[in-house]
């Protein structure tokens, strides 16, 4: 039978405050910090509170609790926060636990920077810094706003990268993103990619019409030894920045 918990009740709010004190102590004990996304922390704290009220233990809310009795739950080795897999594997390996609430300072700092980059690129409140550009070029997928911001930063010489069109020559002539450096058609990819043979250390952004062909080329480029390749998600059809046409730049 499902036990219904009223999150507005005095009992829940009291337990919720106790849970927040509990997670604060976990941070102090292990030298962790909270996730920069406050919604993540609150959601996990609410889940821990519900489990505390239902099972009398703060089982990890991201996993099901196995067993009807306390003995069965103990034998099932349910994750009890802060759980052993998080402390011994997930946080050392990933920088955060599976639920995301407990993070290393380094991971949290990097995530906060990513959030700032996302805010800047999508609101166009200012230009990107060199560090923000470097973070953005580490992403496997970037969107049209992010590419536009990167191209603006490249003009200011904050960052350098190659922009590669993986469509066919006819499409490239018809319309391409202004600032495109190379045409590497998917149908003749292995011959055309030789243009970048000596630039494998330089970051690359690839695009096509919808993002599918370029995603395929992205994978091949990694196989060929390119170090950093980002794909324009959904391709040129989502790009609102400057474009050009014709055979000449």
């Amino acid at each position: 039978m499902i036990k219904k918990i009223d999150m507005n009740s005095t009992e829940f709010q009291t337990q919720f405050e106790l849970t927040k004190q509990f997670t604060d102590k976990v941070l102090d004990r292990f030298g962790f910090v909270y996730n920069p996304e406050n919604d993540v922390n609150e959601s996990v704290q609410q889940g821990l509170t519900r489990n505390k009220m239902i099972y009398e233990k703060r089982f990890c809310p991201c996993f099901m609790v196995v067993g009807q009795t306390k003995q069965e739950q103990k034998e099932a080795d349910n994750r009890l926060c802060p759980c052993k897999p998080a402390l011994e594997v997930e946080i050392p390996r990933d920088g955060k636990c599976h639920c995301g609430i407990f993070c290393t300072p380094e991971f949290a700092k990097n995530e906060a920077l990513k959030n700032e980059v996302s805010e800047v690129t999508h609101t166009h409140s200012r230009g990107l810094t060199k560090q923000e550009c470097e973070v953005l070029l580490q992403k496997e997928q970037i969107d049209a706003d992010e590419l536009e911001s990167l191209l603006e930063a490249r003009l200011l010489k904050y960052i350098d990268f190659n922009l590669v069109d993986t469509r066919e020559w006819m499409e490239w002539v018809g319309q391409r993103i202004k600032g495109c450096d190379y045409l590497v058609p998917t149908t003749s990819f292995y011959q055309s990619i030789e243009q970048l043979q000596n630039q494998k250390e330089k970051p690359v952004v690839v695009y096509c019409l919808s993002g599918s062909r370029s995603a395929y080329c992205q994978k091949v480029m990694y196989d060929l030894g390119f170090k950093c390749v980002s794909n324009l998600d959904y391709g040129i059809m989502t790009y609102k920045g400057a474009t050009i046409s014709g055979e000449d730049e």
Side-chain angles (χ1 to χ4, degrees):
M1 181 177 179
I2 297 175
K3 183 175 180 179
K4 297 180 180 179
I5 302 294
D6 182 3
M7 294 177 61
N8 295 316
S9 67
T10 300
E11 181 186 9
F12 182 88
Q13 292 302 319
T14 299
Q15 284 294 335
F16 185 53
E17 289 303 316
L18 291 173
T19 294
K20 288 194 285 188
Q21 293 174 24
F22 164 77
T23 56
D24 285 345
K25 289 178 180 178
V26 172
L27 300 185
D28 291 338
R29 179 182 175 186
F30 295 99
F32 301 146
V33 296
Y34 282 121
N35 195 302
E37 292 284 350
N38 291 326
D39 289 348
V40 171
N41 304 321
E42 184 173 351
S43 177
V44 174
Q45 289 166 335
Q46 289 174 346
L48 290 170
T49 301
R50 287 193 297 271
N51 281 346
K52 177 68 172 177
M53 294 176 67
I54 296 171
Y55 303 107
E56 298 181 4
K57 290 183 179 294
R58 293 189 179 92
F59 289 118
C60 175
C62 296
F63 295 85
M64 67 177 65
V65 178
V66 178
Q68 297 295 319
T69 67
K70 291 183 178 180
Q71 183 60 34
E72 289 173 341
Q73 291 163 8
K74 182 178 181 181
E75 292 174 352
D77 196 25
N78 292 298
R79 286 197 179 203
L80 186 63
C81 187
C83 62
K84 187 175 180 180
L87 296 175
E88 295 185 355
V89 179
E90 293 162 0
I91 297 176
R93 181 191 64 199
D94 304 326
K96 66 180 181 67
C97 65
H98 182 274
C99 292
I101 185 171
F102 302 130
C103 307
T104 63
E106 296 78 14
F107 176 88
K109 181 179 179 180
N110 192 44
E111 285 300 296
L113 180 57
K114 289 180 181 178
N115 293 340
E116 177 68 15
V117 170
S118 179
E119 175 71 17
V120 168
T121 56
H122 295 104
T123 62
H124 299 287
S125 57
R126 61 170 174 80
L128 295 173
T129 65
K130 177 178 174 58
Q131 184 182 23
E132 289 169 343
C133 290
E134 291 171 348
V135 169
L136 201 49
L137 285 171
Q138 292 298 317
K139 293 179 63 175
E140 292 290 311
Q141 303 287 332
I142 63 173
D143 63 30
D145 284 336
E146 291 169 333
L147 176 57
E148 192 172 354
S149 294
L150 282 170
L151 287 169
E152 291 171 357
R154 190 174 72 169
L155 284 174
L156 296 172
K157 301 189 184 303
Y158 290 161
I159 196 73
D160 195 17
F161 64 93
N162 283 322
L163 179 59
V164 175
D165 191 327
T166 65
R167 300 174 301 155
E168 299 306 305
W169 181 84
M170 183 181 299
E171 297 172 279
W172 182 82
V173 169
Q175 182 191 41
R176 61 186 178 277
I177 295 173
K178 185 175 182 180
C180 179
D181 300 295
Y182 295 96
L183 172 64
V184 181
T186 304
T187 54
S188 57
F189 178 85
Y190 287 100
Q191 294 81 11
S192 301
I193 197 63
E194 292 180 2
Q195 303 171 81
L196 287 84
Q197 183 64 30
N198 298 322
Q199 301 186 60
K200 292 183 177 180
E201 300 292 328
K202 189 174 181 178
V204 181
V205 177
V206 292
Y207 76 90
C208 64
L209 176 64
S210 64
S212 58
R213 281 176 285 176
S214 51
Y216 173 75
C217 293
Q218 176 189 37
K219 181 181 183 303
V220 175
M221 290 177 74
Y222 274 127
D223 292 341
L224 292 175
F226 285 83
K227 302 301 182 185
C228 183
V229 186
S230 301
N231 180 45
L232 177 59
D233 205 12
Y234 298 109
I236 192 175
M237 65 183 187
T238 64
Y239 188 73
K240 303 302 181 183
T243 60
I244 58 175
S245 60
E247 296 186 31
D248 298 323
E249 180 66 35

